[in-house]
Amino acid sequence: MRTAQGRVRTALLTGGRAFVLSFASIAGSTTLFVLSVLSIAFVLLGIGLVTTPWVMEAVRKHANQRRLLAAEWSDIRIPVPYRPFPKDVRTGFTGQVERTTLLLKDPATWRDLRWLLLDMTAGYVVLVLAFALLVFPLEGFVLAAGLWRVFEDSTYWYGFVPVSSQATGLAAAALGIAIFHVGLFASKPLLRLHFVLARSALAPTQEELARRIARLTETRHEAVDTAASELRRIERDLHDGAQARLVAMGMNLGTIEALVEKDPAEAKKLLAMARTSSAEALTELRDLVRGIHPPVLAERGLGDAVKALALRMPVPSEVTVELPGRADAPVESAAYFAVSEALTNAVKHAAADRLWVDVHHADGMLRISVTDNGRGGAAVGAGSGLGGIERRLGTFDGVLAVSSPAGGPTMVTMEIPCALS
C-alpha cells in the first residue's frame, strides 16, 4: 500500500514538474530561438553586433538552468563547455564586435541553438506526454460521472471509446484507469528522456572531448614535472641551507664539549655561534615549510593568505577579496602560489610601485586578477614566469589571460573552475 502511494506521489510530482517545464520549453525556447536567429541574421547590418551578446547570454542562462534541473531531477549531468571571454576584451563598439565574433566561433553557441530547436519540438512533446498521461484520465472519470449526458445526441470520442451512454462512460473511466497506470510508470522515464534529449544536443562532440582529454593529459604531465622540480628544490634548499647549518652546529657543539673545561671563554663564544646557527636554521626551515604550504593558507583560507602575501611585498599592495566559502585545498594552494609568482614577477621585472589584487568567486569560477602599474610588455612564453603560472592552473583546467601593453599597466587574470564549501 505504501509503495503504491509512494509511486502515485512520485508520478504526480514528476507530472507537475513536466507541466511547469513545458511552459519554459515552448515559450522560453521558442522566443530565444527566434531572437537568436534574427540577431545573428542582423549581424551584417550592424544591429546584431549589439544584440547578439545579450541574446546569447540569455540563451546560455536558459540552457544552464536546464542543466541544473537535469542534475537535480533526473541525475543527468550535462557539461558546460562554454569558452571564457578573455579579460582584455575592449569596451565600446570594437568590444561588441569582438564579443560577437568569439560567440559565433564557439561551437557551444551553435549547440545551444540546436538544443532550442529540439527543446521546443520533441522536448516539448515529451513533457506534454509526461503530464498528460496523469491528467487525461480525469476526463474519463468525469464522463462516467454524468458528463456523457451532454453528448447523448451525438458521439464523443474519448481515446478510441465512443461515449454516448452510461455504459460507454464507464468504459471511458476504465480506459482512463489504464492510462493513469501507464502514467504512473512512464512519467518519470519520460521526464528523464526529455533531459537525455537535451544532453544529446548540448553535450560536447567526441572531437572536443578528445581535445580536452589531450589537454588534461598534457597538464597532468606538466604537473608531475612541476612536482618533481619542486621536490628537487626542497631537497636542494635542505641540503644547502638548514642541513649545512645543523651539521656546523653539531661540529661546534663537539668543540664546545672539548673546550668547556679547558677554555670556558672560547666555549661561550662557540655556544653563541651555535645559538645563532640554530635560530637561522629554524628560520630557513620555517621559510621552506611556508613555501610548501603556508600555515595561514591552511588555517584561514585563500583570502587571508593572499592578504598576508601582499603585506610582505616591498611595494604598496591593495587586496580585495569576496569569497563566501573555501575551495578545495589543492585549488587554494595552486591559486596562492600563482598569485605569489605573479606578484613576484611584477616587483622583479615590471618595476612597479603599486599592486592590486582582486579575488572573487562567481558562476562556478574562482577569478583572480593581479594588476601593476609597471612598464608592461609581459607575455606568456618559454622561460617566462607566466608560463609556469599557466601550467600550474592548467592542472585544474584553469586559464590565464595577460593584458600588458608597452608602458603598462599589466593585468594578469586567472580563472579556476571550482565550488566553494
Side-chain angles (χ1 to χ4, degrees):
M1 183 65 178
R2 290 180 180 177
T3 303
Q5 290 177 345
R7 184 178 291 119
V8 171
R9 280 196 297 269
T10 300
L12 292 177
L13 176 61
T14 302
R17 287 172 171 175
F19 178 73
V20 173
L21 194 55
S22 66
F23 289 97
S25 184
I26 190 64
S29 294
T30 302
T31 302
L32 288 172
F33 181 78
V34 173
L35 290 176
S36 299
V37 171
L38 291 176
S39 183
I40 294 173
F42 289 153
V43 165
L44 296 177
L45 300 178
I47 301 174
L49 295 174
V50 178
T51 59
T52 298
W54 296 95
V55 173
M56 295 316 303
E57 182 181 357
V59 170
R60 292 184 173 190
K61 288 182 179 179
H62 184 55
N64 284 335
Q65 181 63 30
R66 197 62 55 89
R67 289 183 174 96
L68 179 62
L69 294 179
E72 290 183 354
W73 291 355
S74 296
D75 197 27
I76 292 178
R77 310 292 170 178
I78 304 176
V80 184
Y82 301 123
R83 295 175 181 175
F85 280 135
K87 288 298 180 182
D88 56 352
V89 175
R90 288 165 286 187
T91 58
F93 181 75
T94 305
Q96 289 294 101
V97 174
E98 190 173 355
R99 286 187 180 87
T100 301
T101 303
L102 291 170
L103 282 168
L104 296 181
K105 286 182 177 180
D106 191 346
T109 297
W110 303 102
R111 283 197 298 270
D112 284 349
L113 294 179
R114 182 179 63 187
W115 168 71
L116 290 175
L117 186 60
L118 180 65
D119 190 53
M120 67 189 196
T121 53
Y124 174 71
V125 170
V126 171
L127 290 173
V128 169
L129 190 59
F131 70 81
L133 289 174
L134 300 172
V135 176
F136 187 57
L138 293 176
E139 186 180 353
F141 302 148
V142 172
L143 288 170
L147 186 63
W148 65 269
R149 299 180 189 280
V150 177
F151 309 106
E152 273 187 300
D153 299 330
S154 61
T155 301
Y156 178 82
W157 289 88
Y158 177 74
F160 56 83
V161 176
V163 180
S164 58
S165 63
Q166 183 63 51
T168 53
L170 293 173
L175 178 59
I177 292 173
I179 293 174
F180 185 75
H181 277 82
V182 172
L184 290 179
F185 292 93
S187 58
K188 193 170 183 179
L190 284 171
L191 183 61
R192 182 177 179 83
L193 175 61
H194 170 82
F195 293 126
V196 169
L197 290 173
R199 182 176 61 186
S200 69
L202 291 172
T205 62
Q206 292 298 323
E207 290 78 7
E208 289 177 280
L209 290 175
R211 287 196 296 269
R212 182 176 175 82
I213 291 171
R215 172 60 181 160
L216 290 175
T217 302
E218 180 184 350
T219 56
R220 184 188 65 185
H221 290 322
E222 290 174 349
V224 172
D225 293 341
T226 301
S229 175
E230 191 73 6
L231 182 60
R232 287 192 296 270
R233 182 190 68 80
I234 293 170
E235 291 174 345
R236 184 174 61 252
D237 289 349
L238 283 172
H239 183 271
D240 297 341
Q243 180 178 332
R245 292 188 184 279
L246 290 173
V247 169
M249 187 173 64
M251 294 173 63
N252 284 341
L253 289 174
T255 304
I256 291 168
E257 187 178 6
L259 292 175
V260 68
E261 293 181 357
K262 298 178 181 178
D263 191 349
E266 185 66 21
K268 286 182 179 181
K269 290 181 182 179
L270 292 176
L271 276 174
M273 293 175 58
R275 184 170 62 249
T276 302
S277 294
S278 67
E280 291 175 349
L282 182 59
T283 300
E284 289 184 357
L285 286 173
R286 283 174 176 169
D287 291 341
L288 184 61
V289 170
R290 186 179 293 111
I292 298 171
H293 194 77
V296 67
L297 181 62
E299 296 168 4
R300 302 179 62 181
L302 178 62
D304 287 340
V306 170
K307 290 178 181 178
L309 182 65
L311 288 174
R312 295 200 298 270
M313 292 292 110
V315 300
S317 305
E318 182 179 331
V319 180
T320 303
V321 178
E322 293 181 9
L323 294 177
R326 293 192 60 174
D328 292 338
V331 173
E332 285 191 335
S333 180
Y336 173 84
F337 287 110
V339 172
S340 175
E341 194 160 350
L343 290 173
T344 302
N345 286 341
V347 173
K348 233 167 130 181
H349 305 297
D353 57 19
R354 189 154 186 86
L355 301 170
W356 295 267
V357 183
D358 178 73
V359 183
H360 67 278
H361 186 273
D363 302 324
M365 285 281 184
L366 175 64
R367 292 186 173 92
I368 304 172
S369 64
V370 178
T371 307
D372 68 71
N373 63 349
R375 54 176 165 245
V380 180
S384 166
L386 294 175
I389 297 176
E390 187 175 42
R391 289 191 297 273
R392 187 186 294 274
L393 299 179
T395 307
F396 299 90
D397 207 15
V399 295
L400 174 73
V402 180
S403 173
S404 184
T410 296
M411 175 181 281
V412 178
T413 305
M414 297 161 268
E415 289 190 350
I416 306 176
C418 67
L420 300 185
S421 58

